[in-house]
Amino acid sequence: MAEYHVIDLYFQGIPQAIAVFAIPHEGGVILVESGPGSTLPALVCGLERLGYRLEDVTDVLLTHIHLDHAGAAGALARRGARIHVHPRGAPHMVNPERLLASAGRLYKEDMDRLWGYFLPVPEEQVNIPQDGQPLELHGHVFVPYDTPGHASHHFAYLWNDVLFTGDIAGVRLPGSRHVRLPTPPPEFHLEQWRASIQKLLQVPARQWVLTHFGPVDDPQWHGQRILEILDRLDAWMQTHMPQMPDAETLTQQLLAWTWDLGQEDGLTQEEHERYEKVNPTWMSALGVQRYWRKFRAQA
Ligand SMILES: [Zn+2]
């Protein structure tokens, strides 16, 4: 049975925050995700431990183009890798100006420290898979599933009976039953997210593998839990959003709600803070605000 390896990028020195997954083959190694530019040295170490160099990476499958998942793809392309990316994300990997400007507005002076360099991917090294069309790479087959909701440019990839879920399956730290949904701007969309999870629950996978962080062996429970959280978030928004709170107020309110959800799962203060580092509520609040204004607020 083929196996995959989890490479921990120790993002900002935090273990189990961002993962890259490595799948060896006869001519090198395939990666799912590249991680950000800032953790390229950690990726090099992780690959070395498996017996590979950056030059051995033949293919990178990106679940979506957020910087924590795709930032180092250009650097890998420079060393020869082919980059597989959703049709809506592909143009931004080739011409990243708008992607970087939009991230810059969010992260401001923290941009470089958090994410490092982002090199564009040469167009001839980009491959654009299509929803449900199997992709055969060096004897491995991946089936991409279009899964908007967290981002409009999002794929989950089925490989054997393992589903690499990117961010559509949320954040769940190892050993925990607590699930959090990152709802960042500009594309968080509640109804699309629900439909994507319903779609993935039909996919024959024994395991879901989260970029934040690692394998989940109870995918049916996990998927149902996400649907439940989406319903509760919907109800929460209907209570809080009609007052149109400013971003700071909204962040505080959403943080209180998130804390309560954590309490239901028995989360300690320390665990709560780890989740916040991986998936900050201020970011989710901005996504909720944008979604509400665009799709739900009465004109
Ligand atoms: Zn993301």
Side-chain angles (χ1 to χ4, degrees):
M1 171 72 195
E3 58 173 342
Y4 68 90
H5 302 276
V6 181
I7 297 177
D8 189 343
L9 297 178
Y10 288 89
F11 175 67
Q12 302 294 299
I14 311 162
Q16 303 179 326
I18 303 177
V20 163
F21 307 103
I23 299 169
H25 59 82
E26 278 183 5
V29 62
I30 298 166
L31 300 184
V32 178
E33 316 285 32
S34 70
S38 57
T39 54
L40 197 57
L43 181 60
V44 171
C45 287
L47 283 168
E48 251 169 31
R49 224 167 287 137
L50 298 172
Y52 297 105
R53 299 161 306 144
L54 281 187
E55 289 73 14
D56 298 320
V57 177
T58 55
D59 300 87
V60 182
L61 289 91
L62 301 175
T63 60
H64 61 304
I65 65 168
H66 287 161
L67 296 180
D68 51 334
H69 298 253
L76 288 158
R78 286 220 175 168
R79 287 157 176 97
R82 227 159 40 120
I83 309 301
H84 306 268
V85 56
H86 191 283
R88 295 181 71 119
H92 302 287
M93 296 306 294
V94 177
N95 294 302
E97 292 76 16
R98 275 177 54 202
L99 173 68
L100 296 177
S102 131
R105 279 193 294 276
L106 276 179
Y107 295 103
K108 303 193 172 74
E109 67 279 6
D110 291 328
M111 181 78 180
D112 289 348
R113 179 180 64 83
L114 289 173
W115 308 120
Y117 284 117
F118 186 107
L119 299 175
V121 177
E123 199 165 0
E124 59 275 17
Q125 279 169 263
V126 173
N127 177 51
I128 304 177
Q130 299 298 323
D131 180 36
Q133 301 289 314
L135 184 65
E136 213 186 314
L137 301 171
H138 307 279
H140 291 277
V141 178
F142 296 85
V143 185
Y145 290 96
D146 189 23
T147 39
H150 167 82
S152 64
H153 42 79
H154 194 290
F155 276 143
Y157 296 99
L158 181 69
W159 169 77
N160 300 317
D161 56 359
V162 170
L163 185 69
F164 294 102
T165 57
D167 283 352
I168 196 67
V171 174
R172 182 174 170 188
L173 297 178
S176 175
R177 297 249 295 174
H178 182 59
V179 182
R180 274 202 199 169
L181 302 185
T183 62
E187 289 150 358
F188 159 61
H189 192 290
L190 191 128
E191 290 78 9
Q192 289 179 359
W193 200 318
R194 195 181 275 139
S196 290
I197 293 299
Q198 280 158 349
K199 177 175 177 173
L200 292 184
L201 283 169
Q202 306 302 316
V203 172
R206 170 185 56 86
Q207 188 179 69
W208 286 7
V209 182
L210 281 52
T211 305
H212 319 288
F213 184 100
V216 159
D217 291 316
D218 50 5
Q220 291 294 323
W221 180 87
H222 184 95
Q224 292 300 337
R225 180 68 183 153
I226 291 174
L227 294 176
E228 210 178 297
I229 296 170
L230 287 170
D231 286 346
R232 289 174 66 172
L233 178 59
D234 197 352
W236 187 91
M237 287 192 295
Q238 290 181 48
T239 308
H240 289 81
M241 295 310 290
Q243 289 89 307
M244 288 291 189
D246 60 49
E248 201 173 315
T249 310
L250 181 59
T251 299
Q252 291 313 315
Q253 292 172 336
L254 197 61
L255 194 58
W257 181 72
T258 303
W259 169 258
D260 289 345
L261 284 184
Q263 290 304 289
E264 288 177 22
D265 294 331
L267 217 61
T268 65
Q269 175 77 33
E270 195 192 333
E271 287 166 333
H272 169 80
E273 279 161 19
R274 272 190 68 204
Y275 272 90
E276 275 299 309
K277 278 186 186 149
V278 176
N279 169 36
T281 295
W282 66 264
M283 171 97 60
S284 287
L286 292 176
V288 162
Q289 190 178 49
R290 186 174 166 114
Y291 161 79
W292 187 267
R293 284 182 180 158
K294 203 165 166 190
F295 297 105
R296 303 286 291 272
Q298 304 297 324

